[in-house]
Amino acid sequence: MDINRQYMQRCLDLAQQGAGSVSPNPMVGAVIVHNHCIIGEGYTSPYGGPHAEVNAVRAVLQKYGDQAGELWGESTFYVSLEPCAHFGKTPPCADMIASLKPKKVFVACLDPFAQVNGKGIGILKDAGIDVEVGLLEKEAMWVNRRFFTRIGQHRPYVILKWAQSADGFIGQADRQVGISNAASLQLVHRWRAEEDAILVGTKTALIDNPRLTVRYWKGANPRRVLIDRDLVVPPDAKIFDDQAETIVFNAKKTDWQGHIKHIELENYGLYLPQTVLYQLYLMDVQSIIIEGGAATLQMFIDAGLWDEARVFQAEKTLHMGIAAPRLNGHVLEKRLISSDLLTIFVK
């Protein structure tokens, strides 16, 4: 890997430090290089805080103080996403970089957001800065696949997740069955901390009585989403505790009491997955994990509304029960999580 690619890869590695905290903003990393040495780097702060480029510049100022002014013009900036060109929670990063006049800026990919798309690059070029776009572009777009999906498709990025037995069952009809091992459970809690929301259907809420929170990993609890047409899940179910906001899509009522929000859907059942995802998009939900049950998972699969599936296969057998969802996708990765085989699919 040539040196420029190495610096951009560092940007991508930094960007992912913001997983679970920057949404609905993208995850961005920035690196500033002077004479083949990294003098500052940063990634986007939690939503509402400074962007990656600002944090990288601040790192240089903190380290070099008054000498920093002598370094900018001889430095090269690397950024994993086009610097913003509009006033939002923070001022435009493109204006800040332009004012520093580095000798060159490498940008991995353009920002598809309408108020930025190409405008940040334009600001830099108008300032006389040499700009190169496209370094590790594919890798950068994968890091921000949630952001790109929300902007481009007006819905959250959808991650399906389930565990199945060695003989292909996801559970049993009338009782909770543990399938995956403790290491896999901890990994699932890490995933929850990285996404905006997590969704289950009525049967899962009734039989498994899940909390859908982060307990075996450090991070914020995702929003909990329940599809419960007739509001049959009792109010003392764990999904309604005060550990996180719970959104209930139903056919009965619209009501907001504390951390619980009921949303009545007209023509319930008609384009249900599409409607649920669009409502969540309007709530700035950028990504969601769908954890079950089998019918709920299959509903999103059949509608073609999924982007990634994470499937654990355990060693244990159930011999009978609820069949695992049927999925056609491309295998992205396979790896062992202790005794469980994790397969990650993409469309």
Side-chain angles (χ1 to χ4, degrees):
M1 182 181 290
D2 69 51
I3 192 65
N4 289 323
R5 292 171 66 87
Q6 290 182 40
Y7 290 137
M8 187 59 78
Q9 183 59 55
R10 177 60 181 166
C11 289
L12 298 180
D13 294 341
L14 287 166
Q16 293 177 82
Q17 297 298 307
S21 66
V22 305
S23 177
N25 283 339
M27 296 184 289
V28 182
V31 169
I32 301 173
V33 176
H34 181 266
N35 286 342
H36 308 293
C37 177
I38 294 177
I39 60 173
E41 60 182 25
Y43 58 90
T44 301
S45 300
Y47 181 64
H51 290 182
E53 301 92 324
V54 173
N55 287 331
V57 167
R58 287 179 177 177
V60 175
L61 292 171
Q62 184 176 8
K63 183 175 181 180
Y64 294 94
D66 293 339
Q67 294 180 342
E70 304 171 8
L71 303 176
W72 303 126
E74 301 172 350
S75 296
T76 300
F77 281 48
Y78 298 80
V79 187
S80 61
L81 185 70
E82 178 182 8
C84 63
H86 66 295
F87 283 89
K89 295 283 186 180
T90 60
C93 291
D95 287 348
M96 177 196 67
I97 296 174
S99 70
L100 299 176
K101 295 191 179 298
K103 63 180 182 180
K104 187 164 185 174
V105 176
F106 285 90
V107 176
C109 61
L110 296 179
D111 187 331
F113 186 51
Q115 290 180 274
V116 181
N117 196 358
K119 297 182 177 66
I121 301 299
I123 289 172
L124 298 178
K125 288 184 175 181
D126 288 346
I129 299 169
D130 183 15
V131 182
E132 182 175 324
V133 180
L135 183 64
L136 297 188
E137 179 179 36
K138 183 178 178 181
E139 294 85 347
M141 293 181 70
W142 174 253
V143 167
N144 270 317
R145 58 197 183 277
R146 299 162 181 83
F147 176 72
F148 278 78
T149 298
R150 180 178 177 272
I151 296 297
Q153 301 187 41
H154 294 175
R155 65 165 176 83
Y157 185 86
V158 176
I159 300 168
L160 310 178
K161 172 263 163 185
W162 73 83
Q164 64 187 49
S165 63
D167 50 352
F169 295 105
I170 197 174
Q172 297 189 336
D174 56 353
R175 65 186 181 93
Q176 184 179 13
V177 179
I179 296 177
S180 54
N181 62 43
S184 295
L185 180 60
Q186 184 180 48
L187 179 58
V188 168
H189 281 236
R190 174 184 171 180
W191 291 342
R192 289 177 180 179
E194 294 173 346
E195 311 304 337
D196 288 351
I198 183 168
L199 180 150
V200 296
T202 304
K203 288 185 178 179
T204 296
L206 290 172
I207 296 172
D208 293 352
N209 194 20
R211 287 187 176 89
L212 303 182
T213 55
V214 177
R215 301 183 300 284
Y216 306 126
W217 197 263
K218 184 179 179 180
N221 291 323
R223 289 182 180 179
R224 299 175 295 201
V225 182
L226 172 63
I227 298 179
D228 184 12
R229 175 174 183 155
D230 297 314
L231 299 179
V232 299
V233 178
D236 61 349
K238 293 176 182 177
I239 198 171
F240 294 127
D241 67 23
D242 63 0
Q243 298 303 301
E245 177 183 346
T246 300
I247 301 165
V248 185
F249 291 105
N250 67 91
K252 297 289 187 179
K253 69 174 183 180
T254 294
D255 182 44
W256 194 338
Q257 297 291 332
H259 64 283
I260 302 173
K261 184 175 185 178
H262 289 86
I263 299 178
E264 180 182 357
L265 301 179
E266 295 184 8
N267 301 314
Y268 188 100
L270 184 64
Y271 301 112
L272 179 58
Q274 291 89 341
T275 302
V276 166
L277 292 182
Y278 185 65
Q279 289 293 323
L280 293 173
Y281 160 79
L282 295 176
M283 298 178 201
D284 278 341
V285 173
Q286 187 162 258
S287 62
I288 187 167
I289 300 175
I290 299 177
E291 284 210 1
T296 300
L297 287 160
Q298 196 65 54
M299 176 177 66
F300 282 88
I301 293 170
D302 292 344
L305 291 171
W306 67 280
D307 300 287
E308 190 174 331
R310 302 171 181 177
V311 182
F312 295 98
Q313 181 168 302
E315 291 182 324
K316 73 187 303 181
T317 56
L318 295 180
H319 305 293
M320 61 181 297
I322 301 170
R326 302 175 306 280
L327 178 77
N328 289 319
H330 304 285
V331 175
L332 178 67
E333 178 184 357
K334 285 189 176 187
R335 70 177 188 267
L336 282 173
I337 309 297
S338 185
S339 58
D340 293 342
L341 175 63
L342 171 62
T343 303
I344 300 178
F345 300 88
V346 293
K347 285 178 69 176

